[in-house]
Amino acid sequence: MAVGIFDSGLGGLTVLDAVAKRLPDVPLVYLGDSAHAPYGVRTPDDIYDLTTKATQRLFDAGCDLVILACNTASAAALRRMQEGWVPEGKRVLGVFVPLIEALTERQWGDNSPPREVDVKHVALFATPATVSSRAFQRELAFRAIGVDVEAQACGGVVDAIEEGDMILAEALVSSHVEALKRKMPQPDAAVLGCTHYPLMAAQFQAALGPDVKVFSQAELVAESLADYLERRPAMVGPGTESAFLTTGNPAQVSARATQFLRRKITFDAA
């Protein structure tokens, strides 16, 4: 009955933590591709190849449903995977749609035509690959009209978080927010379009100011997943054990993961 959660590194642990709290009886198999992180500076073909390889590893671990808890993979690989790679009986979902549904105040599964929404000016903070894909804007256009999106590629933030250098990460967040505000001085809302960024949510909020509503993904994805499984209980796979897998150094990744989640996390080699 396992569900797989994939990320390029440790950022997806924010999603795993929220899913584990929302669905405590579902075993979760997490795979972080730390050996190849960050994905945000890679080519779309490279991201696709790495993401399909990791997803297959999770299928092999007994997961019929895999969540790409990585915005870069969701942006650059998901559609291509769904159109021609995902095997029959398996599902791969991304993390953009729950976020956009919350932003546009649409209910889960609402397939009505796009309409005007209250939010008019949205700041998107994401990796360079996610920004260049324009996947967020494409998914938003399916659901809303009249929304101006200004995207800021946040180079270096994921690297700093993965390396545990939170002082550098905080400085980079401030710099990227300043750059965004030069292009869009008064956003209504901000989207943290990378699952690493919730670890810096307080810094984003402080730099943006109290009047900007900051949307983060972890709890939104967890709630959307719970709804999905309620409607499709057969998608819970045959696996029965939770696990943490990494392509990186297990001891090093375990130490950093334990620091992030403030509880003991032990990774094994993928």
Side-chain angles (χ1 to χ4, degrees), residues 153-178:
C154 298
V157 175
V158 170
D159 304 77
I161 292 172
E162 287 282 328
E163 292 165 11
D165 191 342
M166 307 312 277
I167 294 175
L168 175 59
E170 184 172 348
L172 288 168
V173 165
S174 296
S175 175
H176 289 308
V177 171
E178 287 177 12

Side-chain angles (χ1 to χ4, degrees), residues 183-196:
K183 297 178 287 185
M184 180 181 279
Q186 293 182 307
D188 302 319
V191 170
L192 304 188
C194 172
T195 47
H196 285 74

Side-chain angles (χ1 to χ4, degrees), residues 12-92:
L13 290 173
T14 59
V15 172
L16 177 133
D17 207 32
V19 171
K21 290 173 182 174
R22 180 65 179 81
L23 299 167
D25 296 328
V26 176
L28 303 173
V29 182
Y30 183 90
L31 173 55
D33 192 14
S34 292
H36 302 104
Y39 277 20
V41 295
R42 292 182 174 275
T43 66
D45 283 346
D46 199 11
I47 295 165
Y48 174 82
D49 291 341
L50 291 168
T51 303
T52 52
K53 183 178 179 180
T55 302
Q56 184 60 55
R57 176 68 180 86
L58 288 168
F59 287 158
D60 294 343
C63 304
D64 286 349
L65 172 63
V66 173
I67 307 298
L68 301 186
C70 172
N71 287 268
T72 301
S74 293
L78 178 60
R79 180 169 293 226
R80 184 175 167 188
M81 291 171 70
Q82 290 174 332
E83 290 175 349
W85 180 84
V86 178
E88 187 176 351
K90 309 289 187 183
R91 293 288 185 276
V92 181

Side-chain angles (χ1 to χ4, degrees), residues 32-266:
D33 192 14
S34 292
H36 302 104
Y39 277 20
V41 295
R42 292 182 174 275
T43 66
D45 283 346
D46 199 11
I47 295 165
Y48 174 82
D49 291 341
L50 291 168
T51 303
T52 52
K53 183 178 179 180
T55 302
Q56 184 60 55
R57 176 68 180 86
L58 288 168
F59 287 158
D60 294 343
C63 304
D64 286 349
L65 172 63
V66 173
I67 307 298
L68 301 186
C70 172
N71 287 268
T72 301
S74 293
L78 178 60
R79 180 169 293 226
R80 184 175 167 188
M81 291 171 70
Q82 290 174 332
E83 290 175 349
W85 180 84
V86 178
E88 187 176 351
K90 309 289 187 183
R91 293 288 185 276
V92 181
L93 303 176
V95 289
F96 273 138
V97 172
L99 186 68
I100 291 171
E101 287 172 343
L103 182 70
T104 57
E105 298 184 346
R106 292 171 74 107
Q107 295 297 314
W108 187 93
D110 180 351
N111 294 317
S112 61
R115 59 178 181 264
E116 288 196 11
V117 294
D118 289 340
V119 174
K120 300 299 183 186
H121 304 285
V122 176
L124 170 66
F125 297 96
T127 67
T130 296
V131 169
S132 65
S133 75
R134 294 189 61 81
F136 177 85
Q137 290 91 326
R138 183 177 64 243
E139 293 291 346
L140 180 64
F142 290 144
R143 295 163 178 84
I145 56 176
V147 181
D148 179 25
V149 177
E150 189 65 62
Q152 176 65 31
C154 298
V157 175
V158 170
D159 304 77
I161 292 172
E162 287 282 328
E163 292 165 11
D165 191 342
M166 307 312 277
I167 294 175
L168 175 59
E170 184 172 348
L172 288 168
V173 165
S174 296
S175 175
H176 289 308
V177 171
E178 287 177 12
L180 182 286
K181 290 174 84 171
R182 285 195 290 271
K183 297 178 287 185
M184 180 181 279
Q186 293 182 307
D188 302 319
V191 170
L192 304 188
C194 172
T195 47
H196 285 74
Y197 297 172
L199 297 165
M200 306 302 296
Q203 287 76 19
F204 274 103
Q205 186 72 72
L208 287 161
D211 294 334
V212 179
K213 184 171 183 179
V214 176
F215 287 84
S216 193
Q217 290 173 305
E219 287 75 18
L220 298 172
V221 171
E223 194 59 42
S224 182
L225 176 60
D227 286 342
Y228 185 91
L229 292 177
E230 186 176 333
R231 289 166 172 77
R232 299 173 177 83
M235 289 315 304
V236 179
T240 58
E241 300 294 327
S242 293
F244 294 88
L245 306 172
T246 180
T247 58
N249 181 306
Q252 187 178 62
V253 172
S254 297
R256 288 179 181 160
T258 297
Q259 184 180 26
F260 284 166
L261 293 187
R262 297 192 174 106
R263 60 184 174 89
K264 181 67 174 174
I265 303 291
T266 302

